[in-house]
Amino acid sequence: MIKKLKFNELGLSKEILKAVADMGFEEASPIQSEAIPIIAQGTDVLGQAMTGSGKTAAFGIPLIEKIDPKLRAPQALVLCPTRELAIQVAGEINKLSKYALELPALPIYGGQPIERQIHAIRKGAQIIIGTPGRVLDHLERKTLSFKAVKIAVLDEADEMLDMGFRDDIEAILKTTPSTRQTLLFSATMPAAIQYLARTYQRTPHIIKIAHEKVTAPAIEQFYFEIESFRKLELFTRLIDLHNPKLAIVFCNTKRRVDDLVTELRSRGYAVDGIHGDLTQQKRNKVMDRFRKGDVDILIATDVAARGIDVSNVEIVFNFDIPQDEEAYVHRIGRTGRAGKSGKAFSLVGGSEQYRFRDIKRYTRAVITRLPIPSFQDVEEVKINKLLDVIKKVIDERQSESYAKIVNNLVKDDVTVVDVAAALLKMYMRKK
Ligand code: ADP
Ligand code: MG
């Protein structure tokens, strides 16, 4: 178990300490505690830690400290798998560097006009955060040079390889000085990652943070056993019962995402879906609406949601049980971000039971089986909520002008209780 340190025990500049304080970080996460001093002294790092462990600041802080503010040329390079991640990492680095550096980090990705990026590069960008395809494009056009790069980071390296960026990554690294420091972060360590480490790193210090949430308290994990065709009904009950402000729902395929979006919309839920077939523009739009809370349920595939940092997700649903254990850990890591608590619900269909048993064994987490909530349970919760509202209206004397109307209704055989019960019935049926 790696010790957690205070940020002021890590030998950081006062500019960084001030920025970290502004961000509200109380203590460094385990990967930050271990990686920051090692990276600062110039050693390569090969880091394995799950989503949400605070990797961005782990490499971002020492990276910022290595930038010579007077040298207006790319001195640090971070490669990320997707545009969303590049923007997110740049955002986090810019918060961290706000007192230390004058120029912001520059995200470079496909889909944005290349001229605008060229303009920003010419202004002297010191930290480049990009997706491999577009970065290589710039190198080939000679609009970007990595001759002054001191440090290169491969973030979510396994994901980049899965997306077919291996040749691009190698081509990019070859344009940087061989004296550079190289950091490699990956959720998993397949052979291809080990090859990258062997080829492009110098005796890296290996950091492995076990399957545990580090920046967040435990996520409460639950599951239901249910016939597959009843999942939709169960899901809507769970939503009605828990009424999350933001929830992410995972399906195993794009098709399942689209189908579920259609089904839920037709039932009046504010949902949207995200998967790899959507254009970048559409994906960004969906993510924006979700972050702002215009949509409170986001249905997603693993690839589309991975690595995306949305805080305040209260519940993660596995509408489908994922194919492997790593995906389960990634999925539930979408809640309980940054010190907040969260819940994960898995809907285990008949044919998914064996897979789910493996997941339970692998994660060694406590995953509690819950009974299927009945229609009455949902009804009860709704009624209780309504009664709370009614009490509030009475307390605040908002209803006095209606009292006369009710009074007129009350006769020998109609009591006030009858009137109230009838109203309640009408209201519940409408819901
Ligand atoms: P990873 O890259 O490992 O998935 P991130 O770097 O995206 O994780 O961090 C996840 C979230 O935790 C972000 O919202 C980040 O601002 C927050 N975070 C990072 N370090 C800390 C810390 N030491 N204390 C509290 N929150 C942190
Ligand atoms: Mg990350």
Side-chain angles (χ1 to χ4, degrees), residues 224 230 234 237-238 241 370-378:
F224 301 89
R230 291 187 55 211
L234 169 60
R237 278 188 199 171
L238 291 172
L241 267 177
L370 292 180
I372 310 284
S374 66
F375 180 68
Q376 282 74 19
D377 293 337
V378 179

Side-chain angles (χ1 to χ4, degrees), residues 12-13 16 32 35-43 45 55-69 73-80 89-90 92-94 96-97 100-101 103-106 125-130 148-155 180-185:
L12 303 173
S13 68
I16 292 280
Q32 291 163 0
I36 289 172
I38 288 167
I39 298 170
Q41 85 193 16
T43 305
V45 163
K55 291 188 284 292
T56 316
F59 66 75
I61 288 173
L63 178 150
I64 292 164
E65 303 262 41
K66 280 172 197 288
I67 302 295
D68 172 359
Q75 299 171 53
L77 162 69
V78 181
L79 291 177
C80 303
V89 169
E92 183 102 344
I93 289 197
N94 286 336
L96 289 164
S97 70
L101 301 175
L103 291 168
L106 179 64
Q126 293 159 325
I127 303 173
I128 304 289
I129 307 197
V149 162
K150 292 184 251 183
I151 181 164
V153 184
L154 307 183
D155 191 19
R180 64 155 202 278
Q181 185 178 3
T182 312
L183 313 178
L184 203 159
F185 292 93

Side-chain angles (χ1 to χ4, degrees), residues 141-339:
R141 291 167 184 244
K142 305 218 181 310
T143 46
L144 186 58
S145 158
F146 289 146
K147 296 231 156 38
V149 162
K150 292 184 251 183
I151 181 164
V153 184
L154 307 183
D155 191 19
E156 309 245 2
D158 52 352
E159 186 80 349
M160 286 199 281
L161 294 182
D162 285 351
M163 293 173 75
F165 283 136
R166 177 163 164 174
D167 292 346
D168 289 3
I169 292 170
E170 294 198 63
I172 292 166
L173 286 177
K174 282 178 181 143
T175 72
T176 64
S178 58
T179 50
R180 64 155 202 278
Q181 185 178 3
T182 312
L183 313 178
L184 203 159
F185 292 93
S186 189
T188 57
M189 286 291 156
I193 297 287
Q194 290 164 28
Y195 159 82
L196 279 184
R198 262 200 322 276
T199 315
Y200 297 98
Q201 292 194 295
R202 241 164 298 147
T203 50
H205 178 94
I206 296 170
I207 300 179
K208 185 169 173 174
I209 307 287
H211 304 290
E212 86 183 305
K213 286 297 290 181
V214 279
T215 58
I219 298 162
E220 289 184 274
Q221 300 171 52
F222 304 98
Y223 72 102
F224 301 89
E225 287 187 359
I226 180 107
E227 295 108 305
S228 295
F229 71 92
R230 291 187 55 211
K231 279 188 178 184
L232 183 63
E233 184 192 338
L234 169 60
F235 176 75
T236 54
R237 278 188 199 171
L238 291 172
I239 290 291
D240 292 345
L241 267 177
H242 296 276
N243 205 13
K245 278 198 208 70
L246 284 183
I248 298 186
V249 184
F250 284 97
C251 296
N252 287 357
T253 65
K254 300 168 196 170
R255 179 73 201 282
R256 297 270 292 169
V257 169
D258 287 338
D259 289 351
L260 193 55
V261 167
T262 311
E263 293 283 1
L264 290 170
R265 275 201 188 134
S266 73
R267 286 168 173 72
Y269 294 93
V271 308
D272 216 330
I274 183 168
H275 57 61
D277 277 0
L278 303 177
T279 61
Q280 268 305 350
Q281 210 178 8
K282 174 82 176 89
R283 282 213 253 170
N284 289 338
K285 210 177 274 164
V286 173
M287 286 310 300
D288 276 351
R289 290 179 53 196
F290 185 61
R291 279 199 193 93
K292 279 196 230 132
D294 295 344
V295 163
D296 38 40
I297 304 171
L298 180 70
I299 323 256
T301 55
D302 293 286
V303 172
R306 203 166 141 184
I308 286 175
D309 179 31
V310 179
S311 46
N312 302 325
V313 172
E314 290 169 24
I315 308 183
V316 167
F317 289 91
N318 289 312
F319 196 85
D320 297 326
I321 301 306
Q323 297 302 335
D324 59 69
E325 308 89 356
E326 299 269 349
Y328 177 84
V329 173
H330 268 116
R331 286 180 178 187
I332 68 164
R334 313 288 81 228
T335 184
R337 307 284 277 174

Side-chain angles (χ1 to χ4, degrees), residues 359-406:
I359 289 172
K360 276 199 289 188
R361 213 175 287 146
Y362 165 88
T363 57
R364 280 178 272 140
V366 180
I367 312 181
T368 311
R369 182 173 173 186
L370 292 180
I372 310 284
S374 66
F375 180 68
Q376 282 74 19
D377 293 337
V378 179
E379 196 84 329
E380 204 179 300
V381 168
K382 282 189 191 164
I383 289 187
N384 284 337
K385 275 199 196 118
L386 178 62
L387 292 182
D388 284 344
V389 175
I390 293 175
K391 276 185 211 139
K392 188 162 168 258
V393 171
I394 296 173
D395 283 350
E396 292 172 0
R397 312 226 164 265
Q398 296 172 17
S399 54
E400 277 172 351
S401 58
Y402 292 95
K404 207 152 83 202
I405 302 174
V406 177

